[in-house]
Amino acid sequence: MKKEVLCSFFFLYLICNTTQADIYESERQEMVRVIKRHSEGNKSFFEKGKMEPKVLEAMGKIERHQFVPKDLKGYAYSDRPLPIGYGQTISQPYIVALMTDLLNIKENDKVLEIGTGSGYQAAVLSPLAKDVYTIEIIPPLGKEAKKKFEKVSLTNITSKVADGYYGWKEKAPFDAIVVTAAASHVPPPLIKQLKVGGRMVIPVGNPFSVQYLMIVEKNKKGDVKTTQVLPVRFVPFTGKMGQ
Amino acid sequence: MINFSVFLISLSALSYEVLLIRLLSIERWQDFVTMIIGLALLGYGASGTFVHLTRKFWEKNLGLFTGGSACDFALSAFFCFIFSQMIPFNPMDFLWNSGQFFYLLGLSFLFILPFFFAATTIGSLLSSGRFSLEKLYASDLLGAGVGGGLIVFFLNYIDPYICLKIISTLALLGSLPLFHLKGGEFPFKKVFNFLPLFLMVFIWSFPLKQKTHSFKPLEKIKLIPETNVKQLKNGPMAQLHLLESEKTPFRHAPGLSLKEAPLKFPKQWALFKDGMGFTVFHPDGFPNYVKSLTSALPYALDSSSKKKNHVLLLTLDDDTLWWQAYGLKAKKVTAVFEDERIFDLFLSPKKRGQGNFVKEKWRVYLNQIKGKERFALIQVPLSFFKKDSGGPTSLKEDYNLTKESFGLLFESLEEKGQVVFNLPMGLPPKKYVRLLGNLSSQISIETLKKQLMVIRNWDTLTLLFQKGPLEKEQLKRLKTFSQKKNFDLVYYPGIEKKEANHFHRLKAPLFYEVTQKILSNQGKEFLKGYKYKVDLVTDNNPFFFDFYKSESFLELWKLRKRGGMGLLDWGPLFIGVLIIQIVFLGGAFILLPLILSKKKEVAFNVSAKKGLYFFLIGLAFFFVEITLIKRFIPLLGYPLLSLVFVLVVLLLGSGCGSYFLKWRKPKWPFFLFFIFYGTLVGGFFFYKMDLLLNFSSFLKYLLVFLFLFPLGFMMGMPFPLGLDYLKTKDKSFIPWAWAINGLSSVFSIPLVTLVSINFSLGVTFFLGLIVYGVAFRLFAKNL
């Protein structure tokens, strides 16, 4: 009898868990569809005319609910930023996808992220790159993210708690750098650690409303140029004046 | 003694209102403070209904009822604030999460309670018919007037959280005489003599701590290891935090050249005002990187042997521009400080050097020295443009960036002198377009074309206007400077398209293009057709940061989830939400209980005309009061000073006006004189205020008092006149009058904002007078 009861509980647990996992899976796929829809309405933004399919694939693969606080798991796949504590947010999935797309990552690339936060951006980069390095300055956030990477077995992510301004000299150079922490200027050590032909992406604005994205590129001579892009197509002029 | 009780309770209630502005600004976002407090005033309206419905009870137990209400006010003022600290309202999440609407509602509801109890105390005393209406109403208004002044005085010297305890204590003191009122006996009456004293001990022993919202920049920075608060200064204007970080430098340098950013940053102290975005001080002397900021442009235009005669730095809350002027090429530097506490912080590092320091509002200073002193360079700091556009803050008045301000700057330049505006770049361009558009309406296009240059990096623009044509040598130096620092050229006389948009590229050379269009013959048409509101900003219409345009709103709204949230200006939308909340809460707390009341014979005996009279005089009072508060900011210097001084003078005047009715009731010519006098005051202050700007502070305050006191005196009469009429003709309507008047006051707050941003402060003021006129006509004919 005892065994039967235990077995029933075990199966009940399995059913509940499976159902929850299924719900998350279907919500995640819906989130990817939303991102795809948004990106299709925003074609001019993308260099190749559309968002890279592998970016959407990565978004569909990474379990965002693992990176949001317990009480907000129900909103994990809503296309909106969510607070994660310590005055930080997990970014809107669409913006994460845009930034990932802008980085142009190839499978053998080494990527650096400044500002681990929830760890979600690093997780999305993980299936696209060979190695992802991520630095967080706030110790509890850095430690929590590290645990999450272990929990979801993202073995190609290495994280540390440090001042991201100086980058990660021992692991440099990087093919791509994403800076999610606020900065009033581009840190010179990061430019130095960026490979020739590499790209750095920095969102400008507050975490709930990104104003524009800044792309920093380093050419063969080592010169640096930036490009600022609005995350949407919008022309502020009207009529004849807009032409 | 009863009048003294009313005086104390009213004093506490108004002090509480002003203190809440301070406390909520410290812990949350200023944007929402006015709204929360505006809604909280619904408590006044709801109390009218309550007083009406509970009349039978309190008429028998007036002492217990009013004393108890006063104690409830004291307790709720304290504890509602503590409860409010637990509500996780996050304004930045407002457009993403509809749940935030309910948090906001929760906050508003909490703050309704204290005002409800304060008004219930006063309202039941007024409606009881046992005391002189005029004396009570006068005590109420005088108490409010004194309270406004007292709290500002306290905030200069006492921690705001202690002030909260003091306010509760004063309200409890006010409750003491009320328990002794005649009006039925109640059990354990003697115990109630001690209740307020017991509550005082309870409140003083209860721990109260500052809990700043975790999304405020100050709280985020404090999480960085080894970052400490070096100094904390409270005051009525703002709470200042000076932070230092031993391990992680702040590295704050907007406008810095990408090419010349230092690997090792000099030590910085970060200064936060009410926990918002910070500015920096450099305690270890000249920071070399200031040469590599876009704001260094005016110094780069001079030959190496030339030094600028006299540089004026407006409203310093940062020492970057100071070091630039002092360390580069200025013979003499004058720095203007608006906040004395920031001046003290500025002087605290020893290696500061010599300069002329002025502690004054910059417009006042420039008016004082008009014609006596002229400047080779005036630097307008980045902080003038830092106000976030988009949310409700964008609807706040700002007198730094008006036509009159710019006029003053240009007048203060010597021949070949330069004025430099440093502003955040922002995408799409809004602030820049408005600034240039406004300049183009003051200076002829032909002059601008010859005397303007603009450069930018990836986040900052520097616009330089020279009084006199730019010389070839200067243009040459501009190009060298920009090339060396990798700054993009946006405009100089003769610029070609190919020269723009090189180092910090945009998909199109947007800033170059908008500049060309504004400086073309079709400039006006271009500005008119721009998708954001970029029209002329004046002292009478001082809303530089209001970019909302209804024609573009839908287009932007559709883009918000596709990464376009940052493009949206949603201040007016927010006002709409506010009005919905008022309708909802007003209906729930004021009208519904009256309608559902069993006393239907009274509840439905509502005369539309009587109701309208009390509604209109409430609306008109606030239209006049709020616009005057906003208009006096440039004259009196600071928003809070203007708020308190205007409020105090009008309330003192109103109190005296109300008291005057005890002896003499005015006849109809009074109403005519009121409107005439109001027109005179409005005409002078809204259109000719500049005449007073260079008067001494004492004279300015005296003149404002002399003009506004009589206006307040007259504004204090319509309400008690109406009440007095009701006392003899329809006593049952008194609570309705109280409720409707309270409700209209709450409506008027968002309405004033909407009318002001769409028309002007002056128009809104005169609209208030017209509403008074309509109300007077109703009173004369129908009441």
Side-chain angles (χ1 to χ4, degrees), chain A residues 37-38 41-42 44-46 79-81 83 86-89 92 94-95 137-139 163 165-166 183-186 188-189 191 204 206-212 214 216-217 224-238 241-243, chain B residues 90 92-93 96-97 214-215 220 223-225 248-249 251-254 256 258 261-263 265 425-429 456-459 486 502-507 510 513-514 517 522 525-526 529-532 555-556 559 561-567:
Chain A
R37 204 165 52 237
H38 285 345
N42 223 355
S44 63
F45 177 85
F46 302 98
D79 189 31
R80 60 177 247 215
Y86 306 100
Q88 307 294 320
T89 50
Q92 181 196 0
Y94 178 63
I95 295 290
I137 198 166
I138 301 166
D163 179 3
Y165 188 82
Y166 300 105
S184 78
H185 62 280
V186 186
I191 295 173
V204 179
N206 80 51
F208 287 90
S209 62
V210 171
Q211 261 211 341
Y212 57 90
M214 181 162 90
V216 182
E217 287 167 298
V224 172
K225 286 193 174 177
T226 73
T227 310
Q228 288 99 295
V229 283
L230 278 177
V232 282
R233 188 180 181 277
F234 176 70
V235 186
F237 319 145
T238 50
M241 286 290 162
Q243 285 147 29
Chain B
N90 178 6
M92 287 190 286
D93 199 18
W96 292 103
N97 176 9
S214 62
F215 274 101
K220 291 193 201 180
L223 290 171
I224 295 172
T248 316
R251 306 178 189 114
H252 185 68
L256 182 62
L258 193 64
L263 195 62
F265 242 80
M425 194 181 84
L427 272 181
R456 69 172 180 92
N457 77 339
W458 65 275
D459 70 342
N486 283 9
H502 275 282
F503 303 107
H504 306 286
R505 284 167 302 174
L506 300 167
K507 281 204 164 175
L510 200 54
E513 282 173 4
V514 293
K517 280 173 177 159
Q522 293 166 308
E525 196 190 325
F526 170 75
Y530 205 65
K531 285 189 185 168
Y532 291 100
E555 182 188 353
L556 291 163
L559 297 175
K561 288 193 173 172
R562 295 198 337 232
M565 193 64 95
L567 307 179

Side-chain angles (χ1 to χ4, degrees), chain A residues 88-105:
Chain A
Q88 307 294 320
T89 50
I90 177 169
S91 304
Q92 181 196 0
Y94 178 63
I95 295 290
V96 173
L98 279 189
M99 291 190 1
T100 310
D101 191 88
L102 281 175
L103 285 169
N104 273 342
I105 298 166

Side-chain angles (χ1 to χ4, degrees), chain B residues 228-509:
Chain B
N228 306 307
V229 177
K230 193 174 159 57
Q231 278 193 56
L232 165 65
K233 292 187 175 196
N234 275 305
M237 315 298 174
Q239 186 183 55
L240 300 182
H241 278 89
L242 191 69
L243 264 68
E244 65 177 349
S245 184
E246 287 301 325
K247 202 174 159 188
T248 316
F250 294 111
R251 306 178 189 114
H252 185 68
L256 182 62
S257 157
L258 193 64
K259 209 175 169 186
E260 296 185 356
L263 195 62
K264 198 171 180 316
F265 242 80
K267 187 174 180 177
Q268 292 180 329
W269 290 342
L271 175 70
F272 289 83
K273 278 186 190 172
D274 283 338
M276 295 308 286
F278 66 95
T279 52
V280 286
F281 290 104
H282 301 81
D284 292 341
F286 181 74
N288 209 38
Y289 77 86
V290 297
K291 292 179 193 165
S292 306
L293 300 174
T294 54
S295 53
L297 172 67
Y299 304 100
L301 298 182
D302 296 335
S303 67
S304 54
S305 58
K306 192 185 166 191
K307 286 196 171 212
K308 291 210 181 287
N309 278 334
H310 193 175
V311 175
L312 174 68
L313 307 173
L314 300 185
T315 315
L316 278 198
D317 49 12
D318 179 313
D319 68 0
T320 312
L321 293 177
W322 162 263
W323 282 121
Q324 226 170 39
Y326 186 74
L328 295 173
K329 295 172 185 172
K331 283 183 193 165
K332 187 180 171 190
V333 187
T334 293
V336 183
F337 294 85
E338 280 184 9
D339 190 329
E340 201 158 325
R341 297 168 305 158
I342 295 180
F343 174 67
D344 295 340
L345 292 175
F346 173 82
L347 279 189
S348 57
K350 300 282 179 248
K351 304 168 188 171
R352 185 58 75 197
Q354 295 297 308
N356 176 32
F357 304 117
V358 180
K359 287 179 266 180
E360 188 55 278
K361 191 89 182 161
W362 71 266
R363 279 180 61 165
V364 174
Y365 170 67
L366 283 185
N367 269 304
Q368 283 167 356
I369 58 155
K370 214 181 216 175
K372 295 174 205 158
E373 187 88 59
R374 290 189 191 272
F375 301 92
L377 169 66
I378 301 176
Q379 282 267 20
V380 179
L382 201 57
S383 57
F384 275 28
F385 294 89
K386 276 279 181 183
K387 199 178 277 181
D388 274 338
S389 62
T393 322
S394 61
L395 307 182
K396 251 188 126 190
E397 61 291 334
D398 189 309
Y399 290 93
N400 285 322
L401 303 169
T402 63
K403 184 186 165 194
E404 290 80 356
S405 288
F406 294 161
L408 202 53
L409 291 178
F410 299 137
E411 272 179 54
S412 308
L413 289 177
E414 64 179 30
E415 203 46 44
K416 292 275 176 186
Q418 296 154 347
V419 58
V420 171
F421 296 90
N422 299 290
L423 64 157
M425 194 181 84
L427 272 181
K430 290 194 272 188
K431 294 173 186 174
Y432 174 71
V433 173
R434 188 164 226 167
L435 174 65
L436 191 60
N438 276 223
L439 292 179
S440 72
S441 68
Q442 267 178 290
I443 303 163
S444 75
I445 298 285
E446 285 315 307
T447 309
L448 263 182
K449 275 180 174 174
K450 284 182 222 153
Q451 296 170 211
L452 180 78
M453 53 172 70
V454 187
I455 56 166
R456 69 172 180 92
N457 77 339
W458 65 275
D459 70 342
T460 305
L461 278 145
T462 290
L463 181 151
L464 181 148
F465 172 77
Q466 181 170 284
K467 199 171 179 180
L470 289 158
E471 290 160 12
K472 274 187 182 169
E473 201 54 38
Q474 287 179 304
L475 300 183
K476 206 173 147 191
R477 289 197 187 105
L478 162 76
K479 288 178 197 170
T480 314
F481 177 70
S482 300
Q483 184 68 34
K484 198 176 156 199
K485 313 278 178 192
N486 283 9
F487 291 144
D488 276 296
L489 294 165
V490 174
Y491 182 81
Y492 71 84
I495 189 173
E496 288 179 39
K497 193 173 182 178
K498 62 182 181 193
E499 292 176 89
N501 209 30
H502 275 282
F503 303 107
H504 306 286
R505 284 167 302 174
L506 300 167
K507 281 204 164 175

Side-chain angles (χ1 to χ4, degrees), chain B residues 530-546:
Chain B
Y530 205 65
K531 285 189 185 168
Y532 291 100
K533 185 170 152 190
V534 287
D535 56 0
L536 186 63
V537 180
T538 63
D539 275 0
N540 208 0
N541 192 12
F543 305 101
F544 186 91
F545 299 96
D546 168 34

Side-chain angles (χ1 to χ4, degrees), chain B residues 126 132-142 650-666 709 712-721 723-724:
Chain B
L126 277 173
S132 154
L133 263 179
E134 293 82 4
K135 271 189 180 179
L136 276 184
Y137 193 60
S139 307
D140 176 31
L141 293 175
L142 288 173
L650 284 181
L651 288 174
L652 288 177
S654 299
C656 294
S658 163
Y659 199 69
F660 177 79
L661 291 177
K662 197 170 145 43
W663 294 291
R664 196 175 176 144
K665 303 274 181 291
F709 187 83
F713 187 88
M714 290 184 268
M715 283 163 71
M717 290 181 176
F719 187 72
L721 266 179
L723 284 188
D724 203 54

